[in-house]
Amino acid sequence: MRAIHYLQRYWQLYIMLLPVIAYFFVFKYMPLYGVTIAFKEYNPFKGVNASEWIGLDVFRNIFAMEDFYTALRNTFLLNGLDFVFGFPAPIFLAICLNELKFASFKRLSQTLLYLPHFISWVIIGGIMYQLFATNYGIINLLLAKIGIAKIPFLSDSSYWLVTYTSVGIWQSIGWGSIIYLAAMTGINKELYDAADVDGASRLRRIWHITIPGIRSTIIVLMILKIGDMVDIGFDRPYIIGNVMVRDVSDVLSTFIYRVGLQNSQYSTATAVGLFQAVVGLAFVLTANYVSKKTTDESII
Amino acid sequence: MIRNRRTTWFDVINLVIITCCVLLCLAPFVHIVSVSFSSGSAITAGKVFLFPIQFTTEAYSSVFNDKSMLRALGFTILLTVGFTLLAMLMTTLAAFPLSNGKLKGRKAVMLFIVFTMFFSGGLIPEYLLIKSLGLLDKMSVLILPGLISPFSMIIMVTFLRTTIPETLHEAAEIDGCTHFGKLFRIVLPLSLPVIATLALFYAVGRWNGFRDALFYVHDQNLFPLQLKLYQMVVNNMISDITAIEGAEMKKTISESLKAASIMFATVPILIVYPWLQRYFVSGMTLGSVKE
């Protein structure tokens, strides 16, 4: 009786959820079934279902592939560089912006600094090639004018890593600072007044008040970032990367695309994807656990 | 937060740092604009830095005379508008029931959705699914697979739970308002800020999206602007780079044409940027409120 009464009141909400559940079922859960081809010899004529099971052979194969290890290493390498250089950059910027005296200049700078976040990687890639290209890029043309030899920013592996990291900072520094600026507004103003009374210098105020005030935000974001180490976007390494620097630019996402869609080795690419998803999930869960233990904040 | 203080060397250095950041942030755009308005000979001579040299609009007239470019623009606008409307509809259909604390099974559905944020089948199973659904080379492949972003949905659920008072729900129920009526007459009008924010999230994502088109679309008529631009500009530049270093390569497309094409795809974003900026920043803070 109660159930009928409940349904009379709430059936419409379930109707609304129907298309939603259907969407997630079809586009997010059905591919999970397709993952089985990581354990099969995929035959396009037979389809996912009828292809033959071959156990862990595909995984044995990929663990014997040199390219797989390169892609795995590069994923950690590029994410690691982003972590070491790209992670502190917005914190530094947020502190500078927070110390800025002129409110209108602060707002203007913020507005301008957020812009690259909204630009697609295709456009950033296009702009970047015009800036950094060895033969006609403006930077090398300017260097040539002051007598410095051309620098292969895009075609030499070590320089490419520098380019990749800097472009990443350029794109995300402004946007990344928002969350720290928000955290800074939560700092008790009286602390600063007390520091003034004690005659603390600006740097000491930053060190003893601002940074401790955003420490928990920093720690949570840092843990999140470490949890995402195995996960790497496709657009940035794919667009900025090129054949000349493949030894450092080929990451798991681009490797899967190349092997799977371009070379049609479906089972191999699926297995690499599954490996990445499982390791990625383990990283995220561990990060979440650590976050809970250390800061009492959990993401999941 | 800093009041009644004298300007010190600290402020000066800080001002210089921020100014440098802003200039570094803008310089690439300014350079591209200058290149797009400059003559070919000035560009290859390395004269164009932050101002156009030998001003010409030739590059733009060839972009606007390129039918495929205009078609890609029109297609992308249509795609973005269609996608955004549908995505907002679906996200609302998900968020509204899930924001109702009395709904039984709410937690299970939430888990069903949130799980997909942390584990996915990966590119190939998704590709095979899309192929078996017959969606390859269809416009719908650029719309359907991304209709609900769990992240956006959670933002909306949080918004609805925190800003619409329970008493309003009760009053509507006493007046005999159905849930559909409540959604359209009460909740949506009160949710305009979050709707604007999420619609912009979706629209920018779709406008800038490139990967799905690269994977699933091979028909040139269905190329969104980003993929078109990638093929025309980035690919061309990569082949320039990979050509033997130092050798004078023969250019198929002039630098100014590339720059003009880049601007062609960037200007629409710049036009909506004031709104984007405002709503995205508020969206960031909406998202940080935990349920």
mmCIF file with all atom_site columns, all heavy atoms in Angstrom, chain A residues 132-143:
data_model
loop_
_atom_site.group_PDB
_atom_site.id
_atom_site.type_symbol
_atom_site.label_atom_id
_atom_site.label_alt_id
_atom_site.label_comp_id
_atom_site.label_asym_id
_atom_site.label_entity_id
_atom_site.label_seq_id
_atom_site.pdbx_PDB_ins_code
_atom_site.Cartn_x
_atom_site.Cartn_y
_atom_site.Cartn_z
_atom_site.occupancy
_atom_site.B_iso_or_equiv
_atom_site.pdbx_formal_charge
_atom_site.auth_seq_id
_atom_site.auth_comp_id
_atom_site.auth_asym_id
_atom_site.auth_atom_id
_atom_site.pdbx_PDB_model_num
ATOM 1  N N   . PHE A 1 132 ? 57.345 28.454 -32.613 1.00 0.00 ? 132 PHE A N   1
ATOM 2  C CA  . PHE A 1 132 ? 58.538 27.674 -32.282 1.00 0.00 ? 132 PHE A CA  1
ATOM 3  C C   . PHE A 1 132 ? 59.196 26.952 -33.451 1.00 0.00 ? 132 PHE A C   1
ATOM 4  O O   . PHE A 1 132 ? 60.248 26.341 -33.267 1.00 0.00 ? 132 PHE A O   1
ATOM 5  C CB  . PHE A 1 132 ? 58.191 26.626 -31.220 1.00 0.00 ? 132 PHE A CB  1
ATOM 6  C CG  . PHE A 1 132 ? 57.881 27.204 -29.871 1.00 0.00 ? 132 PHE A CG  1
ATOM 7  C CD1 . PHE A 1 132 ? 56.595 27.179 -29.363 1.00 0.00 ? 132 PHE A CD1 1
ATOM 8  C CD2 . PHE A 1 132 ? 58.887 27.777 -29.105 1.00 0.00 ? 132 PHE A CD2 1
ATOM 9  C CE1 . PHE A 1 132 ? 56.306 27.708 -28.111 1.00 0.00 ? 132 PHE A CE1 1
ATOM 10 C CE2 . PHE A 1 132 ? 58.606 28.306 -27.855 1.00 0.00 ? 132 PHE A CE2 1
ATOM 11 C CZ  . PHE A 1 132 ? 57.313 28.270 -27.361 1.00 0.00 ? 132 PHE A CZ  1
ATOM 12 N N   . ALA A 1 133 ? 58.566 26.970 -34.630 1.00 0.00 ? 133 ALA A N   1
ATOM 13 C CA  . ALA A 1 133 ? 59.131 26.193 -35.733 1.00 0.00 ? 133 ALA A CA  1
ATOM 14 C C   . ALA A 1 133 ? 60.589 26.575 -35.971 1.00 0.00 ? 133 ALA A C   1
ATOM 15 O O   . ALA A 1 133 ? 60.984 27.729 -35.786 1.00 0.00 ? 133 ALA A O   1
ATOM 16 C CB  . ALA A 1 133 ? 58.306 26.415 -36.992 1.00 0.00 ? 133 ALA A CB  1
ATOM 17 N N   . THR A 1 134 ? 61.384 25.586 -36.381 1.00 0.00 ? 134 THR A N   1
ATOM 18 C CA  . THR A 1 134 ? 62.820 25.810 -36.481 1.00 0.00 ? 134 THR A CA  1
ATOM 19 C C   . THR A 1 134 ? 63.174 26.788 -37.595 1.00 0.00 ? 134 THR A C   1
ATOM 20 O O   . THR A 1 134 ? 64.016 27.662 -37.421 1.00 0.00 ? 134 THR A O   1
ATOM 21 C CB  . THR A 1 134 ? 63.539 24.477 -36.723 1.00 0.00 ? 134 THR A CB  1
ATOM 22 O OG1 . THR A 1 134 ? 63.007 23.530 -35.797 1.00 0.00 ? 134 THR A OG1 1
ATOM 23 C CG2 . THR A 1 134 ? 65.025 24.621 -36.502 1.00 0.00 ? 134 THR A CG2 1
ATOM 24 N N   . ASN A 1 135 ? 62.529 26.648 -38.749 1.00 0.00 ? 135 ASN A N   1
ATOM 25 C CA  . ASN A 1 135 ? 62.962 27.439 -39.893 1.00 0.00 ? 135 ASN A CA  1
ATOM 26 C C   . ASN A 1 135 ? 62.305 28.805 -40.011 1.00 0.00 ? 135 ASN A C   1
ATOM 27 O O   . ASN A 1 135 ? 62.925 29.768 -40.430 1.00 0.00 ? 135 ASN A O   1
ATOM 28 C CB  . ASN A 1 135 ? 62.709 26.655 -41.179 1.00 0.00 ? 135 ASN A CB  1
ATOM 29 C CG  . ASN A 1 135 ? 63.723 25.545 -41.326 1.00 0.00 ? 135 ASN A CG  1
ATOM 30 O OD1 . ASN A 1 135 ? 64.916 25.777 -41.185 1.00 0.00 ? 135 ASN A OD1 1
ATOM 31 N ND2 . ASN A 1 135 ? 63.238 24.341 -41.555 1.00 0.00 ? 135 ASN A ND2 1
ATOM 32 N N   . TYR A 1 136 ? 61.030 28.866 -39.651 1.00 0.00 ? 136 TYR A N   1
ATOM 33 C CA  . TYR A 1 136 ? 60.343 30.137 -39.872 1.00 0.00 ? 136 TYR A CA  1
ATOM 34 C C   . TYR A 1 136 ? 59.644 30.645 -38.625 1.00 0.00 ? 136 TYR A C   1
ATOM 35 O O   . TYR A 1 136 ? 58.965 31.660 -38.668 1.00 0.00 ? 136 TYR A O   1
ATOM 36 C CB  . TYR A 1 136 ? 59.322 29.980 -41.016 1.00 0.00 ? 136 TYR A CB  1
ATOM 37 C CG  . TYR A 1 136 ? 58.384 28.841 -40.771 1.00 0.00 ? 136 TYR A CG  1
ATOM 38 C CD1 . TYR A 1 136 ? 57.269 29.004 -39.972 1.00 0.00 ? 136 TYR A CD1 1
ATOM 39 C CD2 . TYR A 1 136 ? 58.625 27.578 -41.328 1.00 0.00 ? 136 TYR A CD2 1
ATOM 40 C CE1 . TYR A 1 136 ? 56.422 27.966 -39.716 1.00 0.00 ? 136 TYR A CE1 1
ATOM 41 C CE2 . TYR A 1 136 ? 57.778 26.523 -41.081 1.00 0.00 ? 136 TYR A CE2 1
ATOM 42 C CZ  . TYR A 1 136 ? 56.675 26.723 -40.262 1.00 0.00 ? 136 TYR A CZ  1
ATOM 43 O OH  . TYR A 1 136 ? 55.844 25.683 -40.005 1.00 0.00 ? 136 TYR A OH  1
ATOM 44 N N   . GLY A 1 137 ? 59.742 29.924 -37.505 1.00 0.00 ? 137 GLY A N   1
ATOM 45 C CA  . GLY A 1 137 ? 59.085 30.376 -36.272 1.00 0.00 ? 137 GLY A CA  1
ATOM 46 C C   . GLY A 1 137 ? 59.687 31.689 -35.810 1.00 0.00 ? 137 GLY A C   1
ATOM 47 O O   . GLY A 1 137 ? 60.887 31.920 -35.934 1.00 0.00 ? 137 GLY A O   1
ATOM 48 N N   . ILE A 1 138 ? 58.833 32.540 -35.279 1.00 0.00 ? 138 ILE A N   1
ATOM 49 C CA  . ILE A 1 138 ? 59.278 33.888 -34.928 1.00 0.00 ? 138 ILE A CA  1
ATOM 50 C C   . ILE A 1 138 ? 60.393 33.858 -33.878 1.00 0.00 ? 138 ILE A C   1
ATOM 51 O O   . ILE A 1 138 ? 61.335 34.658 -33.920 1.00 0.00 ? 138 ILE A O   1
ATOM 52 C CB  . ILE A 1 138 ? 58.086 34.765 -34.461 1.00 0.00 ? 138 ILE A CB  1
ATOM 53 C CG1 . ILE A 1 138 ? 58.528 36.219 -34.219 1.00 0.00 ? 138 ILE A CG1 1
ATOM 54 C CG2 . ILE A 1 138 ? 57.455 34.221 -33.206 1.00 0.00 ? 138 ILE A CG2 1
ATOM 55 C CD1 . ILE A 1 138 ? 58.935 36.945 -35.455 1.00 0.00 ? 138 ILE A CD1 1
ATOM 56 N N   . ILE A 1 139 ? 60.338 32.913 -32.960 1.00 0.00 ? 139 ILE A N   1
ATOM 57 C CA  . ILE A 1 139 ? 61.352 32.887 -31.907 1.00 0.00 ? 139 ILE A CA  1
ATOM 58 C C   . ILE A 1 139 ? 62.730 32.601 -32.495 1.00 0.00 ? 139 ILE A C   1
ATOM 59 O O   . ILE A 1 139 ? 63.707 33.276 -32.169 1.00 0.00 ? 139 ILE A O   1
ATOM 60 C CB  . ILE A 1 139 ? 60.968 31.859 -30.826 1.00 0.00 ? 139 ILE A CB  1
ATOM 61 C CG1 . ILE A 1 139 ? 59.687 32.338 -30.129 1.00 0.00 ? 139 ILE A CG1 1
ATOM 62 C CG2 . ILE A 1 139 ? 62.092 31.678 -29.823 1.00 0.00 ? 139 ILE A CG2 1
ATOM 63 C CD1 . ILE A 1 139 ? 59.185 31.455 -29.054 1.00 0.00 ? 139 ILE A CD1 1
ATOM 64 N N   . ASN A 1 140 ? 62.775 31.633 -33.399 1.00 0.00 ? 140 ASN A N   1
ATOM 65 C CA  . ASN A 1 140 ? 64.069 31.352 -34.022 1.00 0.00 ? 140 ASN A CA  1
ATOM 66 C C   . ASN A 1 140 ? 64.525 32.466 -34.950 1.00 0.00 ? 140 ASN A C   1
ATOM 67 O O   . ASN A 1 140 ? 65.719 32.736 -35.071 1.00 0.00 ? 140 ASN A O   1
ATOM 68 C CB  . ASN A 1 140 ? 64.017 30.001 -34.749 1.00 0.00 ? 140 ASN A CB  1
ATOM 69 C CG  . ASN A 1 140 ? 64.395 28.866 -33.809 1.00 0.00 ? 140 ASN A CG  1
ATOM 70 O OD1 . ASN A 1 140 ? 65.349 28.989 -33.029 1.00 0.00 ? 140 ASN A OD1 1
ATOM 71 N ND2 . ASN A 1 140 ? 63.635 27.792 -33.844 1.00 0.00 ? 140 ASN A ND2 1
ATOM 72 N N   . LEU A 1 141 ? 63.579 33.127 -35.593 1.00 0.00 ? 141 LEU A N   1
ATOM 73 C CA  . LEU A 1 141 ? 63.957 34.258 -36.445 1.00 0.00 ? 141 LEU A CA  1
ATOM 74 C C   . LEU A 1 141 ? 64.551 35.384 -35.598 1.00 0.00 ? 141 LEU A C   1
ATOM 75 O O   . LEU A 1 141 ? 65.530 36.027 -35.984 1.00 0.00 ? 141 LEU A O   1
ATOM 76 C CB  . LEU A 1 141 ? 62.746 34.770 -37.227 1.00 0.00 ? 141 LEU A CB  1
ATOM 77 C CG  . LEU A 1 141 ? 62.217 33.834 -38.321 1.00 0.00 ? 141 LEU A CG  1
ATOM 78 C CD1 . LEU A 1 141 ? 60.942 34.389 -38.927 1.00 0.00 ? 141 LEU A CD1 1
ATOM 79 C CD2 . LEU A 1 141 ? 63.265 33.614 -39.398 1.00 0.00 ? 141 LEU A CD2 1
ATOM 80 N N   . LEU A 1 142 ? 63.952 35.596 -34.414 1.00 0.00 ? 142 LEU A N   1
ATOM 81 C CA  . LEU A 1 142 ? 64.481 36.638 -33.536 1.00 0.00 ? 142 LEU A CA  1
ATOM 82 C C   . LEU A 1 142 ? 65.850 36.235 -32.972 1.00 0.00 ? 142 LEU A C   1
ATOM 83 O O   . LEU A 1 142 ? 66.766 37.061 -32.886 1.00 0.00 ? 142 LEU A O   1
ATOM 84 C CB  . LEU A 1 142 ? 63.512 36.911 -32.377 1.00 0.00 ? 142 LEU A CB  1
ATOM 85 C CG  . LEU A 1 142 ? 62.222 37.650 -32.749 1.00 0.00 ? 142 LEU A CG  1
ATOM 86 C CD1 . LEU A 1 142 ? 61.312 37.780 -31.544 1.00 0.00 ? 142 LEU A CD1 1
ATOM 87 C CD2 . LEU A 1 142 ? 62.540 39.038 -33.326 1.00 0.00 ? 142 LEU A CD2 1
ATOM 88 N N   . LEU A 1 143 ? 65.964 34.956 -32.618 1.00 0.00 ? 143 LEU A N   1
ATOM 89 C CA  . LEU A 1 143 ? 67.259 34.479 -32.108 1.00 0.00 ? 143 LEU A CA  1
ATOM 90 C C   . LEU A 1 143 ? 68.346 34.658 -33.161 1.00 0.00 ? 143 LEU A C   1
ATOM 91 O O   . LEU A 1 143 ? 69.468 35.062 -32.856 1.00 0.00 ? 143 LEU A O   1
ATOM 92 C CB  . LEU A 1 143 ? 67.170 32.997 -31.714 1.00 0.00 ? 143 LEU A CB  1
ATOM 93 C CG  . LEU A 1 143 ? 66.408 32.677 -30.418 1.00 0.00 ? 143 LEU A CG  1
ATOM 94 C CD1 . LEU A 1 143 ? 66.355 31.174 -30.210 1.00 0.00 ? 143 LEU A CD1 1
ATOM 95 C CD2 . LEU A 1 143 ? 67.064 33.347 -29.225 1.00 0.00 ? 143 LEU A CD2 1
#
